[in-house]
Amino acid sequence: EDTETPEVVENAWSYKIPDFKPEDNPHGMIEESKFATLFPRYREKYLRECWSLVQAKLNEYHIKSELDLVEGSMTVMTTRKCWDPYIIIKARDVIKLLARSVPYEQAVKVLEDDFGSDIIKIGNLVRNRERFVKRRQRLIGPNGSTLKSIELLTQSYVLVQGNTVACIGPYQGLKQVRKIVVDTMNNIHPIYNIKTLMIKRE
């Protein structure tokens, strides 16, 4: 009766995930995967300026990208050389974030393995418009101080814009940001969640 007791994992987040390398998928992709997203007119100038950087960055992962100024769309697609099956999903997130006013430096972080992104819809959480604006402002705080402390504590980049909050960071951080944002919209002041995170930090 010698059954091994499985190891109890105290903190799953502390696990080091092994890197996925080109030799793990030597044959590359058979089919082309492709994603497109539209962007608003006011983003056109910025996207034109940084597009060569976007292309160069995506080329590192063997992802082809196109900017269509007539249609107002961005497209990413895999090439035969592309070896990472998940990178196209991350590339899709990059163009999605670029379209919603996230700067290039922040958006490309999503391509890293430990980073993800989340777009939190806050428009339908509060019915009353005035109340909505007040609570959204609470999230930003005086001179953006609340937002800054949320970013520091969760190690994420957070952009509050219109009816959505876009965030980029480690998965653990994204979870915390989502909780803070949703709680704030439900009238729980962000300072409580910030305090909790600070205590956990210590």
Side-chain angles (χ1 to χ4, degrees):
E1 283 290 301
D2 190 27
T3 52
E4 278 183 38
T5 49
E7 235 183 291
V8 175
V9 180
E10 286 301 327
N11 180 12
W13 291 99
S14 62
Y15 257 100
K16 180 79 190 88
I17 299 169
D19 288 337
F20 189 81
K21 299 190 176 70
E23 49 271 23
D24 295 325
N25 181 12
H27 305 300
M29 302 291 174
I30 297 167
E31 288 287 333
E32 177 191 78
S33 304
K34 184 173 174 181
F35 288 104
T37 187
L38 299 169
F39 59 85
R41 184 39 49 85
Y42 61 83
R43 280 300 274 168
E44 188 181 305
K45 184 173 177 289
Y46 180 81
L47 290 170
R48 263 219 310 259
E49 284 163 11
C50 74
W51 194 250
S52 55
L53 295 169
V54 176
Q55 277 182 314
K57 186 74 188 169
L58 290 172
N59 271 343
E60 290 172 28
Y61 300 93
H62 304 294
I63 295 276
K64 208 167 105 200
S65 49
E66 286 166 4
L67 178 66
D68 184 339
L69 295 171
V70 180
E71 210 182 26
S73 71
M74 292 178 273
T75 313
V76 286
M77 58 200 101
T78 54
T79 59
R80 293 305 281 267
K81 278 187 184 157
C82 183
W83 49 269
D84 180 349
Y86 193 65
I87 201 73
I88 184 68
I89 302 293
K90 287 185 165 278
R92 177 199 66 185
D93 290 346
V94 170
I95 58 171
K96 207 160 77 185
L97 291 162
L98 283 170
R100 13 178 83 246
S101 302
V102 173
Y104 161 79
E105 302 77 39
Q106 299 294 345
V108 291
K109 281 187 189 167
V110 176
L111 295 168
E112 291 167 38
D113 273 349
D114 316 333
F115 275 74
S117 67
D118 192 4
I119 289 162
I120 307 158
K121 294 193 168 80
I122 53 174
N124 52 5
L125 294 177
V126 185
R127 291 238 177 84
N128 180 326
R129 187 72 197 166
E130 276 171 39
R131 217 173 274 164
F132 168 75
V133 173
K134 256 191 196 147
R135 289 181 193 176
R136 187 179 61 187
Q137 191 49 45
R138 223 177 265 171
L139 200 55
I140 299 163
N143 297 331
S145 57
T146 310
L147 197 62
K148 196 81 217 127
S149 33
I150 293 172
E151 290 188 327
L152 287 168
L153 283 165
T154 59
Q155 293 164 334
S156 308
Y157 165 84
V158 184
L159 176 76
V160 180
Q161 199 200 22
N163 290 328
T164 59
V165 178
C167 44
I168 298 158
Y171 291 100
Q172 182 72 330
L174 294 177
K175 227 171 81 178
Q176 293 161 342
V177 174
R178 182 171 269 276
K179 183 183 183 321
I180 296 172
V181 170
V182 173
D183 278 358
T184 306
M185 291 328 257
N186 290 330
N187 210 17
I188 297 168
H189 203 285
I191 204 75
Y192 296 116
N193 278 311
I194 289 172
K195 278 229 173 94
T196 315
L197 285 179
M198 284 168 102
I199 293 162
K200 278 186 187 160
R201 255 305 199 26
E202 285 158 19

